Amino acid sequence: MYIQSITTMSKKEQIFDTMLKLIAENGIYYTPMSAVAEKGHVAVGTIYHYFKSKDELLNALYLNVQRDLAEVLLNSVSDGVDIKESFKNMWVNLYRYYIDKSDAFMFIQRITPSNLISNEVKEECKLIYMPIVDFFYKAIMEEVFVNMNIQMMTEMFFASVSSVAQLQFLGGLEITEDLLNDAANAQLKAFVR
Amino acid sequence: MYIQSITTMSKKEQIFDTMLKLIAENGIYYTPMSAVAEKGHVAVGTIYHYFKSKDELLNALYLNVQRDLAEVLLNSVSDGVDIKESFKNMWVNLYRYYIDKSDAFMFIQRITPSNLISNEVKEECKLIYMPIVDFFYKAIMEEVFVNMNIQMMTEMFFASVSSVAQLQFLGGLEITEDLLNDAANAQLKAFVR
Amino acid sequence: MYIQSITTMSKKEQIFDTMLKLIAENGIYYTPMSAVAEKGHVAVGTIYHYFKSKDELLNALYLNVQRDLAEVLLNSVSDGVDIKESFKNMWVNLYRYYIDKSDAFMFIQRITPSNLISNEVKEECKLIYMPIVDFFYKAIMEEVFVNMNIQMMTEMFFASVSSVAQLQFLGGLEITEDLLNDAANAQLKAFVR
Amino acid sequence: MYIQSITTMSKKEQIFDTMLKLIAENGIYYTPMSAVAEKGHVAVGTIYHYFKSKDELLNALYLNVQRDLAEVLLNSVSDGVDIKESFKNMWVNLYRYYIDKSDAFMFIQRITPSNLISNEVKEECKLIYMPIVDFFYKAIMEEVFVNMNIQMMTEMFFASVSSVAQLQFLGGLEITEDLLNDAANAQLKAFVR
DNA sequence: AATGAATGAGCCTTCATTCAT
DNA sequence: CATGAATGAAGGCTCATTCAT
């Protein structure tokens, strides 16, 4: 089963990668399954062997990307390190991930305002992001951050990173290290006591 | 002819309103022209009499909404009033507009990450938002705000409002007046010296 | 009525001319009534004031052109002149008409194989071409032409002129005076005893 | 795979046959793809699986028919046989093909004056008809035919056959064997020295 | 007589999905 | 597991025609 899983993963990975890339380029509705098949060097039928529908594929892909994002954030904090420092790490690392994996960023940007993500997947995402929520919780408990609704904080946090990444991609603004620091600092200031 | 002009406006308005509502409900790609026609009580051909294509209609609608948004922001600041106060007004008023005109909010959320808005319209939007840019410029000049890239500031500003509105709409979080104040204050803190 | 007829003719003429030109350029089915209206500087409703339908307009236009063609042919023969000479005049003058009025030629080429011309108009055309049939009849009676079915002769006559005109227009062959003479002579030889 | 290839051919053939028949009956623009699908017992999507567009289908069909025509002509001449005899064979055989395969005839009549045939296909047709051009070339070299532009001769040849076939189909003239001979002889006379 | 806004049937085409191999 | 031919519902758009002014 391990061997099989490898092979399976590889086909699935191929499909995931291709769809991510195509959606980043053209958008969800200009990415037909046939194109994913062609560019991914698999048959349409093969995609439907692994995923029940386009929706399901999109949801699976979304979950995949969210797991990556959460991992990036989690790797940015460590118990010993200063909370403010950790926050800025999170901000900057998430930003860098968005830039490095621009396909993933564009995909998330595009799928989020759609109705396509199921409630099940949304719930699963909440679980995945638990540790991040925990981080904010601790920051408040330790009286580093103001006592604000955590859900709101995390949303604002994500929104700030995304907005700067968007600027870099579409806004025609070259985001230098200085600008990056400014943005991260601003967002930190928004939350500290 | 004056009467006719009124009627004409009303037809276009009818189309705009219907499309806005349907996109808010179902998304751009689940809003076929035929549905706009049906729900808007006009013939498909009539829509194409006023707009060359679905794309053009979307762009026109986008511009309409952006003008409304800019007006809301502009009405939130007045020369005599304290900059910090004005900023919070802008934040809260924009938020309230999003909540009141949730269709407009959803529409903007959905069309922004798409490729559908033409560069011409984007340029026109920049002009529309000039006064807002000016506001941030003055805030920096008067040393109320930190010296940050203004484009980045405005993006972060919009992102913060949107993220909280999103929470209200999809996140299942009831945004009370207190939460609202927290968010607006946080974003203000992000920018003040 | 004469004055009125002039005005009327002028509008009708405008419509005729525009439609002829547009069909020559783009073909019947790529010539919408709206285009005829726009390029002809009349309102769509105006066209429908003069013609019951697109079909009727096409039929009227067809009849117009056929009348012109018949006149050209008729003007090519005169009682005293030698039959062979007259035939060659007809051939060459028809060809020149096709070249000069290429729009009319293209229109005829395009509408003939369609089903759009009504039987009434076809019958009327037969009447118009009576004198030409007469010419062939006399040529046979006077034993200049072979005794062939006259309808067949006229069809072959028209076909030969059209085919050479077509060559000039689409075949990329420059039809010189010599080539023209060769063709006319050949077709004459086909019919003489 | 051999079997499959047969099946595939049969699907394409089905589409070709149906479209030919429908265009012969109703004309190109009154032959919607949906009708081809329905009458051809295939799904619309299937047509688009084999042909990129209606245009491409028309071009492929045109090429098919032209190949048939060229073959008919080629089979009408053999090296040993008298040139005049061969010419008359070509004329009569082409005529009979038009009568037998009236759908093909009508299709060609209708598509030729349109702009729908691409230059590539036109070029390919020229290659296909090379042997026929050769025949006329030899006829001139051997001083059986007059020294006329060959392109013009072939056009006039085709035009004469078509015009007589047209008469039979639409002109209401019953073309007897005698009439046929008259026409073929006349066209021969047009070209011989 | 003249206008052109309004209509909606119908066209070409796409694409998610199925299924026989 | 993998393939890709086949399906047909549905979408964007056109255009002949009508009608109120």
Side-chain angles (χ1 to χ4, degrees), chain B:
Chain B
M1 186 187 153
Y2 179 62
I3 298 291
Q4 198 176 32
S5 158
I6 291 260
T7 325
T8 295
M9 282 304 282
S10 126
K11 277 274 177 204
K12 267 190 159 183
E13 222 62 74
Q14 234 165 295
I15 294 165
F16 277 146
D17 287 1
T18 309
M19 176 149 247
L20 200 65
K21 199 179 140 204
L22 288 178
I23 289 180
E25 271 172 32
N26 312 312
I28 297 168
Y29 294 92
Y30 295 115
T31 300
M33 296 298 261
S34 59
V36 179
E38 201 175 347
K39 303 273 180 187
H41 304 293
V42 292
V44 200
T46 305
I47 305 181
Y48 282 91
H49 180 77
Y50 291 107
F51 305 96
K52 228 166 43 202
S53 64
K54 191 180 182 181
D55 258 42
E56 198 181 284
L57 169 50
L58 287 171
N59 272 275
L61 187 49
Y62 178 79
L63 206 51
N64 253 21
V65 174
Q66 291 292 11
R67 270 196 256 266
D68 271 12
L69 288 181
E71 206 189 329
V72 166
L73 293 179
L74 216 54
N75 290 341
S76 306
V77 302
S78 27
D79 277 354
V81 181
D82 175 52
I83 282 182
K84 293 182 188 175
E85 202 62 33
S86 291
F87 178 86
K88 280 175 70 178
N89 278 339
M90 275 171 52
W91 204 102
V92 172
N93 287 340
L94 182 56
Y95 175 81
R96 291 206 201 286
Y97 180 88
Y98 281 161
I99 300 304
D100 288 354
K101 305 273 173 72
S102 59
D103 290 350
F105 173 67
M106 287 303 291
F107 171 75
I108 289 294
Q109 290 295 97
R110 289 189 152 149
I111 203 156
T112 301
S114 80
N115 287 330
L116 298 166
I117 301 305
S118 72
N119 287 330
E120 284 85 5
V121 169
K122 280 182 194 163
E123 286 306 316
E124 209 158 338
C125 282
K126 275 189 191 164
L127 292 181
I128 294 170
Y129 281 108
M130 252 353 169
I132 313 308
V133 171
D134 268 6
F135 170 82
F136 280 94
Y137 181 71
K138 276 183 209 152
I140 294 170
M141 283 295 105
E142 297 184 16
E143 301 194 327
V144 180
F145 281 7
V146 291
N147 187 8
M148 241 172 92
N149 178 287
I150 291 179
Q151 212 183 338
M152 208 164 71
M153 283 178 115
T154 57
E155 287 304 317
M156 290 176 82
F157 163 72
F158 279 110
S160 68
V161 183
S162 293
S163 65
V164 178
Q166 192 87 285
L167 255 184
Q168 161 85 321
F169 284 125
L170 304 175
L173 180 64
E174 181 59 31
I175 305 293
T176 62
E177 284 296 307
D178 282 353
L179 284 183
L180 205 59
N181 260 312
D182 286 353
N185 275 323
Q187 199 57 40
L188 176 60
K189 266 169 51 197
F191 294 151
V192 293
R193 273 200 176 219

Side-chain angles (χ1 to χ4, degrees), chain D residues 21-59:
Chain D
K21 200 179 139 204
L22 288 178
I23 289 181
E25 271 173 31
N26 312 312
I28 296 169
Y29 294 92
Y30 294 115
T31 300
M33 296 296 261
S34 57
V36 179
E38 200 175 346
K39 302 274 179 186
H41 304 292
V42 292
V44 202
T46 306
I47 306 182
Y48 282 89
H49 180 77
Y50 289 107
F51 305 97
K52 227 166 44 202
S53 65
K54 192 181 181 182
D55 258 43
E56 198 180 286
L57 170 49
L58 287 171
N59 273 275

Side-chain angles (χ1 to χ4, degrees), chain A residues 4 8 11 43 45-46 50:
Chain A
Q4 198 177 32
T8 296
K11 275 278 178 201
T46 307
Y50 289 109

Side-chain angles (χ1 to χ4, degrees), chain C residues 25-55:
Chain C
E25 270 173 32
N26 312 312
I28 297 168
Y29 294 91
Y30 293 117
T31 300
M33 295 297 261
S34 59
V36 178
E38 199 178 348
K39 303 271 180 185
H41 303 293
V42 291
V44 207
T46 307
I47 305 182
Y48 279 89
H49 177 76
Y50 289 108
F51 305 96
K52 223 167 53 200
S53 65
K54 189 181 183 181
D55 260 41

Side-chain angles (χ1 to χ4, degrees), chain A residues 3 10 22 25 41 45 47 51 66 98 128 131-132 162 169 191:
Chain A
I3 298 293
S10 135
L22 289 178
E25 272 172 32
H41 304 292
I47 304 182
F51 306 96
Q66 291 293 12
Y98 281 161
I128 293 170
I132 313 306
S162 293
F169 283 126
F191 294 152

Side-chain angles (χ1 to χ4, degrees), chain D residues 63 66-67 70 123-132:
Chain D
L63 207 50
Q66 291 292 12
R67 270 197 256 267
E123 286 305 315
E124 208 158 337
C125 282
K126 275 191 192 164
L127 292 181
I128 294 170
Y129 280 108
M130 256 346 172
I132 313 307

